[in-house]
Amino acid sequence: MENTTNFLFVGVGGQGILTASDIAASVGLTAGYEAKKSEIHGFSQRGGVVESHVRWGDTVGAPTAEKGTVDFLIALEMLESARWIDWLRPGGAVLINRQRIAPMTVTVGDAEYPSDQDILEAVRRRTDHVTIIDALAIAEDLGNSRMTNTVVLGALSTRLDVEPETWLSVIERRVPPKYAALNRKAFQQGRRAVS
């Protein structure tokens, strides 16, 4: 039997889902775990849905978790948290960025974007472990909305038994050097926002 921690990162193209999941997988490896990652990004460059699985453990088989076995669902967009909630194991944890990005069906008037209350009710039917963070606002306060995913990683790091400096060392290796200091600030702000 695998002793693994399963993460599922979900959101919309352009939010940095793949970068965030790359970092999470590298953090697992740096922390001494076996780590695997899988991603699906279809029409991501056109605002489509992006999903990426990351798995850490002593021994990790498949790169994707099975539906209903995800320990941490990390949604960088509000509605995606509800759309992927069935992947979460009962009692798992959900981290939601408060950002709302209307899907094409809403934009063209064929559907209506649900209220935050409706989205959170759907999520809370699965788990009480829900953390909401306004990561986009934090990133914008830092002067760069592209730091949203790093803010979310900072928040996620508070839920795991891996030193913050491990996360930061991986982030700083992954991002262009001119953005290293800003990513460090974004990560720390994410930690502070949920602690």
Side-chain angles (χ1 to χ4, degrees):
M1 176 122 187
E2 295 175 6
N3 178 24
T4 59
T5 302
N6 298 318
F7 305 86
L8 178 56
F9 291 81
V10 297
V12 173
Q15 288 192 291
I17 303 292
L18 302 182
T19 300
S21 64
D22 284 346
I23 290 168
S26 294
V27 166
L29 289 170
T30 303
Y33 299 105
E34 185 172 312
K36 292 190 178 173
K37 177 180 161 309
S38 176
E39 61 196 44
I40 298 175
H41 43 92
F43 292 107
S44 61
Q45 293 192 358
R46 296 190 180 151
V49 175
V50 180
E51 67 173 286
S52 185
H53 292 256
V54 175
R55 304 184 74 210
W56 297 353
D58 298 328
T59 303
V60 178
T64 58
E66 292 181 16
K67 195 172 190 176
T69 67
V70 167
D71 299 292
F72 294 94
L73 175 62
I74 303 100
L76 272 78
E77 196 280 333
M78 283 288 294
L79 183 56
E80 295 306 316
S81 65
R83 287 171 42 160
W84 291 92
I85 196 63
D86 289 344
W87 285 78
L88 190 72
R89 69 170 171 77
V94 181
L95 176 61
I96 303 170
N97 174 29
R98 192 176 287 280
Q99 186 174 2
R100 295 165 58 101
I101 300 173
M104 185 61 70
T105 55
V106 171
T107 305
V108 299
D110 290 342
E112 189 174 313
Y113 196 105
S115 69
D116 288 1
Q117 179 180 343
D118 288 345
I119 292 168
L120 293 175
E121 281 178 10
V123 169
R124 289 189 171 120
R125 282 194 289 272
R126 186 75 171 188
T127 185
D128 292 329
H129 303 287
V130 179
T131 302
I132 302 164
I133 181 171
D134 201 344
L136 176 60
I138 292 169
E140 288 174 342
D141 285 347
L142 291 171
N144 189 331
S145 63
R146 296 185 67 183
M147 297 295 120
T148 300
N149 59 350
T150 305
V151 174
V152 169
L153 287 173
L156 174 63
S157 75
T158 66
R159 307 299 189 252
L160 297 160
D161 192 23
V162 175
E163 290 296 320
E165 283 304 319
T166 301
W167 288 85
L168 286 166
S169 70
V170 171
I171 290 168
E172 289 174 0
R173 284 194 313 263
R174 177 63 173 79
V175 302
K178 67 181 180 179
Y179 294 114
L182 188 56
N183 272 275
R184 179 174 279 271
K185 285 181 187 174
F187 179 84
Q188 291 165 339
Q189 290 286 346
R191 287 182 62 83
R192 280 196 280 275
V194 298
S195 59

